Amino acid sequence: LMIDPQQQGLRWIKQRIGEDLVVIQFSNPTWLQQVSLCVKDGRQLLIEAVGEEIDAVLGPVLARAVIKKGRQLFLKLSGEFIDYNPKFQLYLQSKLPNPHYRPEIAAQCTIINFIVTPDGLEEQILARVVNVEKPELEQQKQELVRKQNEYKVILSQLEEGLLGTLSAADPTTILENLPLIEALEKTKATAKDITLQVQSAQATELEINHSRELYRVV
Protein backbone atom coordinates (compact mmCIF):
# COMPACT_ATOMS: atom_id res chain seq x y z
CA LEU A 1 0.00 0.00 0.00
CA MET A 2 1.70 3.16 -1.25
CA ILE A 3 1.02 6.57 0.32
CA ASP A 4 1.76 8.52 -2.80
CA PRO A 5 0.26 12.04 -3.14
CA GLN A 6 2.96 13.14 -5.61
CA GLN A 7 2.52 9.90 -7.59
CA GLN A 8 6.23 9.10 -7.49
CA GLY A 9 5.54 5.58 -6.30
CA LEU A 10 3.07 5.18 -9.15
CA ARG A 11 5.69 6.13 -11.73
CA TRP A 12 8.28 3.92 -10.05
CA ILE A 13 6.13 0.78 -9.95
CA LYS A 14 4.99 1.26 -13.56
CA GLN A 15 8.58 1.72 -14.70
CA ARG A 16 9.79 -1.24 -12.66
CA ILE A 17 7.18 -3.77 -13.85
CA GLY A 18 6.39 -2.31 -17.25
CA GLU A 19 3.77 -3.79 -19.55
CA ASP A 20 3.17 -6.80 -17.30
CA LEU A 21 1.44 -4.54 -14.74
CA VAL A 22 -2.37 -4.45 -14.84
CA VAL A 23 -3.63 -1.03 -13.70
CA ILE A 24 -7.23 -0.38 -12.60
CA GLN A 25 -9.29 1.88 -10.34
CA PHE A 26 -12.35 1.16 -8.22
CA SER A 27 -14.27 3.54 -10.49
CA ASN A 28 -13.82 1.05 -13.33
CA PRO A 29 -17.09 -0.94 -13.60
CA THR A 30 -15.18 -4.14 -14.39
CA TRP A 31 -12.58 -3.81 -11.63
CA LEU A 32 -13.75 -6.92 -9.78
CA GLN A 33 -13.48 -9.07 -12.92
CA GLN A 34 -9.98 -7.70 -13.47
CA VAL A 35 -8.98 -8.64 -9.93
CA SER A 36 -10.39 -12.14 -10.41
CA LEU A 37 -8.46 -12.66 -13.66
CA CYS A 38 -5.22 -11.43 -12.11
CA VAL A 39 -5.62 -13.76 -9.11
CA LYS A 40 -6.24 -16.72 -11.42
CA ASP A 41 -3.44 -15.91 -13.87
CA GLY A 42 -0.84 -14.83 -11.31
CA ARG A 43 -0.58 -11.28 -12.71
CA GLN A 44 0.76 -8.17 -11.00
CA LEU A 45 -2.11 -5.80 -10.25
CA LEU A 46 -2.09 -2.13 -9.27
CA ILE A 47 -5.22 -0.43 -7.97
CA GLU A 48 -4.81 3.33 -8.25
CA ALA A 49 -6.25 6.16 -6.17
CA VAL A 50 -7.75 4.12 -3.31
CA GLY A 51 -9.41 6.01 -0.47
CA GLU A 52 -9.29 5.41 3.26
CA GLU A 53 -11.94 2.71 2.94
CA ILE A 54 -10.91 -0.24 0.79
CA ASP A 55 -13.74 -2.31 -0.65
CA ALA A 56 -14.56 -5.20 1.69
CA VAL A 57 -14.60 -7.60 -1.28
CA LEU A 58 -10.80 -7.40 -1.23
CA GLY A 59 -10.72 -8.57 2.40
CA PRO A 60 -9.78 -12.20 1.62
CA VAL A 61 -7.12 -11.00 -0.83
CA LEU A 62 -5.51 -8.66 1.71
CA ALA A 63 -5.79 -11.32 4.42
CA ARG A 64 -4.20 -13.90 2.09
CA ALA A 65 -7.06 -16.24 2.99
CA VAL A 66 -5.92 -18.96 0.60
CA ILE A 67 -7.49 -22.41 0.95
CA LYS A 68 -5.72 -25.56 -0.21
CA LYS A 69 -7.75 -28.49 -1.53
CA GLY A 70 -5.57 -31.31 -2.68
CA ARG A 71 -2.92 -29.74 -4.87
CA GLN A 72 -5.03 -26.73 -5.81
CA LEU A 73 -5.23 -23.32 -4.14
CA PHE A 74 -8.43 -21.30 -3.92
CA LEU A 75 -9.43 -17.83 -2.76
CA LYS A 76 -12.92 -16.62 -1.94
CA LEU A 77 -13.73 -13.46 -3.89
CA SER A 78 -17.16 -11.87 -3.89
CA GLY A 79 -18.71 -15.01 -2.41
CA GLU A 80 -17.20 -17.42 -4.94
CA PHE A 81 -14.10 -19.59 -4.74
CA ILE A 82 -11.67 -18.97 -7.59
CA ASP A 83 -8.34 -20.55 -8.49
CA TYR A 84 -5.39 -18.84 -6.82
CA ASN A 85 -2.00 -18.49 -8.52
CA PRO A 86 0.85 -17.92 -5.99
CA LYS A 87 2.53 -15.53 -8.45
CA PHE A 88 -0.28 -13.00 -7.96
CA GLN A 89 0.84 -9.65 -6.51
CA LEU A 90 -1.30 -6.70 -5.47
CA TYR A 91 -0.24 -3.06 -5.18
CA LEU A 92 -2.51 -0.33 -3.82
CA GLN A 93 -1.82 3.37 -4.34
CA SER A 94 -3.38 6.24 -2.40
CA LYS A 95 -3.12 9.90 -3.43
CA LEU A 96 -4.19 11.03 0.04
CA PRO A 97 -1.38 12.91 1.88
CA ASN A 98 -2.29 11.67 5.35
CA PRO A 99 -4.77 8.77 5.17
CA HIS A 100 -5.97 6.92 8.26
CA TYR A 101 -6.51 3.23 7.60
CA ARG A 102 -8.14 0.73 9.90
CA PRO A 103 -5.65 -1.28 12.03
CA GLU A 104 -6.39 -4.50 10.14
CA ILE A 105 -5.47 -2.82 6.83
CA ALA A 106 -2.18 -1.63 8.31
CA ALA A 107 -1.54 -5.18 9.57
CA GLN A 108 -2.38 -6.85 6.26
CA CYS A 109 -0.43 -4.52 3.97
CA THR A 110 3.13 -3.34 3.76
CA ILE A 111 2.71 0.44 3.86
CA ILE A 112 5.30 2.50 1.99
CA ASN A 113 5.30 6.29 2.33
CA PHE A 114 6.38 8.03 -0.88
CA ILE A 115 5.74 11.56 0.41
CA VAL A 116 8.63 13.78 -0.67
CA THR A 117 10.66 15.49 2.07
CA PRO A 118 12.95 18.49 1.42
CA ASP A 119 16.00 16.21 1.67
CA GLY A 120 14.43 13.67 -0.65
CA LEU A 121 13.57 16.39 -3.17
CA GLU A 122 17.15 17.65 -3.05
CA GLU A 123 18.43 14.14 -3.77
CA GLN A 124 16.11 13.84 -6.76
CA ILE A 125 17.27 17.18 -8.16
CA LEU A 126 20.90 16.15 -7.62
CA ALA A 127 20.27 12.87 -9.48
CA ARG A 128 18.80 14.79 -12.44
CA VAL A 129 21.70 17.24 -12.54
CA VAL A 130 24.30 14.47 -12.41
CA ASN A 131 22.39 12.52 -15.05
CA VAL A 132 22.74 15.51 -17.40
CA GLU A 133 26.29 16.55 -16.49
CA LYS A 134 27.81 13.11 -16.02
CA PRO A 135 25.31 10.40 -17.05
CA GLU A 136 27.77 7.50 -16.66
CA LEU A 137 28.19 8.38 -12.97
CA GLU A 138 24.44 8.35 -12.31
CA GLN A 139 24.09 5.09 -14.23
CA GLN A 140 26.77 3.56 -12.01
CA LYS A 141 24.86 4.78 -8.97
CA GLN A 142 21.56 3.26 -10.14
CA GLU A 143 23.20 -0.03 -11.09
CA LEU A 144 24.88 -0.20 -7.69
CA VAL A 145 21.58 0.36 -5.90
CA ARG A 146 20.00 -2.39 -8.00
CA LYS A 147 22.80 -4.85 -7.18
CA GLN A 148 22.67 -4.09 -3.45
CA ASN A 149 18.93 -4.76 -3.45
CA GLU A 150 19.55 -8.06 -5.25
CA TYR A 151 22.17 -9.02 -2.65
CA LYS A 152 19.68 -8.35 0.16
CA VAL A 153 17.05 -10.52 -1.54
CA ILE A 154 19.53 -13.39 -2.05
CA LEU A 155 20.70 -13.24 1.57
CA SER A 156 17.09 -13.26 2.76
CA GLN A 157 16.31 -16.27 0.54
CA LEU A 158 19.39 -18.11 1.83
CA GLU A 159 18.32 -17.46 5.41
CA GLU A 160 14.78 -18.70 4.76
CA GLY A 161 16.06 -21.77 2.94
CA LEU A 162 18.46 -22.57 5.75
CA LEU A 163 15.77 -22.28 8.41
CA GLY A 164 13.43 -24.45 6.34
CA THR A 165 16.08 -27.14 5.87
CA LEU A 166 16.91 -27.20 9.57
CA SER A 167 13.28 -27.34 10.66
CA ALA A 168 12.60 -30.28 8.33
CA ALA A 169 15.64 -32.26 9.49
CA ASP A 170 15.43 -35.06 12.05
CA PRO A 171 17.18 -33.80 15.22
CA THR A 172 18.33 -37.31 16.12
CA THR A 173 20.30 -37.79 12.88
CA ILE A 174 21.18 -34.20 12.05
CA LEU A 175 24.93 -34.75 12.53
CA GLU A 176 24.86 -37.71 10.14
CA ASN A 177 22.77 -36.00 7.48
CA LEU A 178 25.37 -35.47 4.76
CA PRO A 179 23.07 -33.70 2.25
CA LEU A 180 22.07 -31.29 5.02
CA ILE A 181 25.68 -30.63 6.02
CA GLU A 182 26.68 -30.06 2.39
CA ALA A 183 23.74 -27.67 1.92
CA LEU A 184 24.75 -25.76 5.04
CA GLU A 185 28.36 -25.46 3.85
CA LYS A 186 27.20 -24.27 0.42
CA THR A 187 24.87 -21.71 1.99
CA LYS A 188 27.64 -20.50 4.29
CA ALA A 189 30.08 -20.09 1.36
CA THR A 190 27.50 -18.28 -0.77
CA ALA A 191 26.57 -15.94 2.09
CA LYS A 192 30.26 -15.16 2.69
CA ASP A 193 30.79 -14.39 -1.01
CA ILE A 194 27.74 -12.12 -1.14
CA THR A 195 28.84 -10.33 2.05
CA LEU A 196 32.19 -9.54 0.41
CA GLN A 197 30.39 -8.25 -2.69
CA VAL A 198 28.17 -6.06 -0.49
CA GLN A 199 31.23 -4.60 1.24
CA SER A 200 32.87 -3.91 -2.12
CA ALA A 201 29.68 -2.28 -3.41
CA GLN A 202 29.45 -0.08 -0.33
CA ALA A 203 33.03 1.12 -0.84
CA THR A 204 32.28 1.89 -4.50
CA GLU A 205 29.11 3.71 -3.47
CA LEU A 206 31.12 6.01 -1.18
CA GLU A 207 33.38 6.93 -4.09
CA ILE A 208 30.42 7.59 -6.38
CA ASN A 209 28.62 9.66 -3.74
CA HIS A 210 31.77 11.75 -3.23
CA SER A 211 31.88 12.50 -6.97
CA ARG A 212 28.16 13.33 -7.03
CA GLU A 213 28.53 15.78 -4.14
CA LEU A 214 30.57 18.09 -6.42
CA TYR A 215 27.29 18.93 -8.17
CA ARG A 216 25.29 19.62 -5.00
CA VAL A 217 26.60 23.14 -4.30
CA VAL A 218 24.84 25.77 -6.40
Side-chain angles (χ1 to χ4, degrees), residues 36-133:
S36 179
L37 287 173
C38 288
V39 170
K40 293 176 182 177
D41 297 338
R43 303 287 301 276
Q44 293 172 298
L45 172 66
L46 167 66
I47 303 179
E48 293 181 304
V50 300
E52 290 187 339
E53 292 297 327
I54 297 175
D55 198 299
V57 173
L58 287 180
V61 180
L62 299 180
R64 300 169 181 82
V66 179
I67 298 172
K68 186 174 184 180
K69 294 182 179 180
R71 294 184 178 181
Q72 288 186 292
L73 299 175
F74 297 93
L75 184 72
K76 194 172 184 179
L77 188 66
S78 189
E80 296 182 2
F81 284 100
I82 61 173
D83 292 332
Y84 175 81
N85 189 318
K87 292 183 179 180
F88 169 72
Q89 294 180 350
L90 174 63
Y91 302 92
L92 303 172
Q93 182 251 1
S94 173
K95 295 180 181 179
L96 301 175
N98 188 28
H100 297 281
Y101 289 102
R102 289 176 283 114
E104 55 267 33
I105 297 296
Q108 292 167 342
C109 300
T110 299
I111 298 179
I112 303 176
N113 193 336
F114 278 94
I115 294 177
V116 178
T117 63
D119 289 342
L121 184 59
E122 183 177 334
E123 283 298 320
Q124 290 183 41
I125 295 173
L126 176 62
R128 294 198 175 202
V129 171
V130 175
N131 195 42
V132 171
E133 297 291 332

Side-chain angles (χ1 to χ4, degrees), residues 184-215:
L184 292 176
E185 289 297 325
K186 183 178 179 180
T187 299
K188 182 179 177 181
T190 305
K192 183 178 180 181
D193 181 54
I194 290 177
T195 300
L196 291 175
Q197 293 183 55
V198 169
Q199 292 173 351
S200 175
Q202 289 173 342
T204 304
E205 184 178 24
L206 288 175
E207 296 176 6
I208 293 175
N209 287 342
H210 178 71
S211 299
R212 291 172 84 247
E213 286 300 313
L214 298 176
Y215 296 93

Side-chain angles (χ1 to χ4, degrees), residues 168-188:
D170 184 354
T172 60
T173 61
I174 193 169
L175 297 178
E176 301 171 4
N177 191 331
L178 292 180
L180 173 60
I181 295 173
E182 291 174 357
L184 292 176
E185 289 297 325
K186 183 178 179 180
T187 299
K188 182 179 177 181

